[in-house]
Amino acid sequence: MRQTLIRLILLLFQPPVILEAYTTGFLSLPDSTWLTQPGSKVLMAGPCSAESPEQLLSTAKGIAAHYPNNIFRAGIWKPRTRPGSFEGIGDEAVKWLREVKCETGMRVATEVATTHHVELALKNEIDVLWIGARTTGNPFHVQELAESLRGVDVPVLVKNPLHPDIQLWIGGLERFHRAGIARLGAIHRGFHAYENSGYRNVPRWQIVHSLKSIYPGLPVICDISHIAGHREYLSTIAQQAYDLNLEGLMIEAHCSPDKALSDSQQQITPHDLHQLVTGLLARRVNFEDTDAMPMILEIRERIDEIDRGLLDLLTRRMSLASEIGELKRDHNVSILQLQRWKEIIDHCMTLADEKGLNREFVKNVLIQIHDEAIRLQSKILSEAGMVKIGK
Ligand code: PEP
Ligand code: MN
């Protein structure tokens, strides 16, 4: 009973996203230079969907005029939420994409969701395949696609799944890696959110950051169109992706966006695409070769000092939590003291306001600390064995 309660408490206080390093899997990824050179960005622009040979070619020529190295994207088989909306032209449009490649010299890319799509894409010399968010969420489908690509040397970009599960995203990448795909990359297209954030899909930069920390060689590009859902937000999101030094952008562009058969609100003309891209500020990878270097070193030293102090404080706080754990054990008192927890939160929220600290941030830190205190106390109680309540 007590064990179940403890497990329940631990479950309640799980952070929403598990960010710790995924320890098994591929560690031998080639660096991101297969996609882009350090200091430059890759662009994957093109319409949400291929609609007609004319629409495809007119959009492609508009983009190629400024970006001959663009990887031209176009959806051929469209995963739509409800049947009856435009579900893509299907098989016939693969040839149109090949024509774009011949006419403009740009590489071309499309989404594949079945082994039939893979077969047709390869037969028509599509240069890059991407896996859509709905497919990444289904390991059966991903495995089937990976098997169909075994022994094929084609680049594959894996979009994040609809919900913020980094393990599922990594799992998708790993399945292709295990099937021998060497030119792998990830696409951040935001995550479904129940609350209305203004964006169609919420970007979770922390998850991208974790992915990058686990696999520094993995190129990650940002699909700003499916994050934004509306063209007015595109440049803000694109700049954030640049600020994080992601390897590039996927942007939906259409010769007549308002007439587009899918995602018309988020598509822009090749002209607006050029305006958007030229308005972005590329950031240096680090401070090297800047005159801020001595200052940054000094500030970092001070930060290290503060971190040492924080760890000292945490050690002291955890040792007090253990002392309380022993008292709870000796007096047979339950671990979770809701009233006390509420007092801590209220007190710290007042302090956060006084100090001008972000409330959400402070709350998250406290939740992490409380989680660890619960873990320590549960260990103390479980080591003492099961004690009958009311003894
Ligand atoms: C797309 O890129 O056209 C698409 C359908 O994206 P997602 O899988 O991210 O929804
Ligand atoms: Mn789209």
Side-chain angles (χ1 to χ4, degrees):
M1 177 66 188
R2 176 157 296 214
Q3 298 289 346
T4 319
L5 185 68
I6 291 167
R7 246 180 251 130
L8 192 72
I9 293 165
L10 288 174
L11 258 179
L12 279 173
F13 286 93
Q14 284 274 333
V17 180
I18 301 163
L19 294 173
E20 73 264 25
Y22 185 83
T23 45
T24 59
F26 49 96
L27 295 167
S28 56
L29 270 184
D31 61 32
S32 55
T33 51
W34 72 262
L35 187 61
T36 179
Q37 294 307 311
S40 61
K41 306 281 182 199
V42 71
L43 182 64
M44 281 186 82
C48 176
S49 305
E51 297 168 7
S52 69
E54 297 74 31
Q55 166 252 6
L56 217 52
L57 202 57
S58 150
T59 308
K61 283 184 173 164
I63 298 172
H66 292 290
Y67 304 103
N69 292 327
N70 175 55
I71 301 176
F72 185 75
R73 62 144 285 155
I76 289 171
W77 305 276
K78 299 300 296 178
R80 304 309 301 278
T81 305
R82 300 191 47 199
S85 40
F86 175 66
E87 291 185 319
I89 296 288
D91 297 4
E92 193 193 345
V94 198
K95 288 185 225 97
W96 307 345
L97 205 47
R98 185 167 60 180
E99 278 158 28
V100 164
K101 177 174 163 166
C102 295
E103 288 263 338
T104 65
M106 287 188 293
R107 285 166 295 169
V108 292
T110 198
E111 172 178 344
V112 289
T114 69
T115 52
H116 171 70
H117 301 163
V118 169
E119 197 184 311
L120 272 186
L122 295 177
K123 208 154 89 189
N124 286 278
E125 292 164 19
I126 305 302
D127 301 283
V128 177
L129 309 179
W130 85 79
I131 308 302
R134 289 153 195 81
T135 308
T136 309
N138 187 327
F140 286 128
H141 292 167
V142 176
Q143 189 59 37
E144 228 172 89
L145 294 174
E147 290 306 332
S148 74
L149 285 170
R150 200 173 279 283
V152 181
D153 182 23
V154 66
V156 176
L157 299 169
V158 180
K159 287 198 174 194
N160 63 257
L162 295 176
H163 58 287
D165 182 344
I166 190 174
Q167 308 277 14
L168 203 50
W169 196 3
I170 289 173
L173 289 156
E174 197 182 24
R175 286 177 199 279
F176 288 103
H177 181 68
R178 287 188 177 189
I181 298 294
R183 290 179 288 166
L184 259 186
I187 302 177
H188 179 40
R189 49 80 76 200
F191 295 95
H192 175 75
Y194 290 102
E195 75 277 12
N196 187 357
S197 73
Y199 290 161
R200 181 173 172 188
N201 292 289
V202 183
R204 300 282 290 263
W205 304 115
Q206 181 57 45
I207 293 183
V208 175
H209 195 258
S210 297
L211 189 69
K212 277 279 192 194
S213 322
I214 300 167
Y215 302 118
L218 183 77
V220 182
I221 72 170
C222 183
D223 172 354
I224 59 172
S225 304
H226 288 91
I227 290 178
H230 199 284
R231 48 188 82 105
E232 72 181 281
Y233 305 129
L234 291 173
S235 55
T236 306
I237 304 164
Q239 188 57 59
Q240 285 173 338
Y242 266 42
D243 292 351
L244 282 173
N245 236 328
L246 299 192
E247 275 72 17
L249 301 175
M250 177 180 262
I251 308 177
E252 286 188 341
H254 190 291
C255 51
S256 317
D258 291 332
K259 295 198 185 119
L261 299 180
S262 57
D263 290 350
S264 73
Q265 292 204 325
Q266 69 195 33
Q267 303 209 56
I268 51 176
T269 60
H271 173 267
D272 288 350
L273 172 81
H274 185 51
Q275 298 279 100
L276 189 158
V277 174
T278 47
L280 294 173
L281 212 58
R283 309 286 183 191
R284 285 188 162 89
V285 179
N286 52 40
F287 281 98
E288 265 164 41
D289 305 327
T290 71
D291 57 11
M293 201 60 192
M295 209 150 54
I296 205 77
L297 288 178
E298 191 204 311
I299 296 174
R300 281 179 178 164
E301 243 173 63
R302 278 158 55 199
I303 286 181
D304 288 348
E305 173 93 35
I306 290 176
D307 285 349
R308 260 194 300 277
L310 280 175
L311 289 183
D312 282 346
L313 285 175
L314 282 173
T315 313
R316 280 166 52 200
R317 196 180 186 304
M318 287 310 148
S319 113
L320 290 173
S322 294
E323 262 183 54
I324 292 189
E326 284 158 16
L327 287 170
K328 283 176 177 167
R329 176 197 61 201
D330 297 345
H331 295 82
N332 206 20
V333 173
S334 101
I335 291 176
L336 193 58
Q337 299 291 313
L338 284 175
Q339 184 53 36
R340 170 67 182 145
W341 173 231
K342 188 176 172 315
E343 279 165 20
I344 293 178
I345 293 277
D346 290 348
H347 176 224
C348 290
M349 288 301 101
T350 312
L351 285 177
D353 289 345
E354 274 172 32
K355 294 176 185 299
L357 280 166
N358 178 320
R359 282 175 150 246
E360 227 17 62
F361 161 67
V362 174
K363 200 165 168 182
N364 284 335
V365 171
L366 286 171
I367 288 176
Q368 295 295 325
I369 292 174
H370 193 234
D371 265 3
E372 178 60 5
I374 288 177
R375 191 190 66 79
L376 288 173
Q377 296 189 353
S378 349
K379 193 159 169 269
I380 292 171
L381 261 71
S382 63
E383 274 166 10
M386 295 287 279
V387 187
K388 270 202 195 124
I389 294 175
K391 194 180 88 173

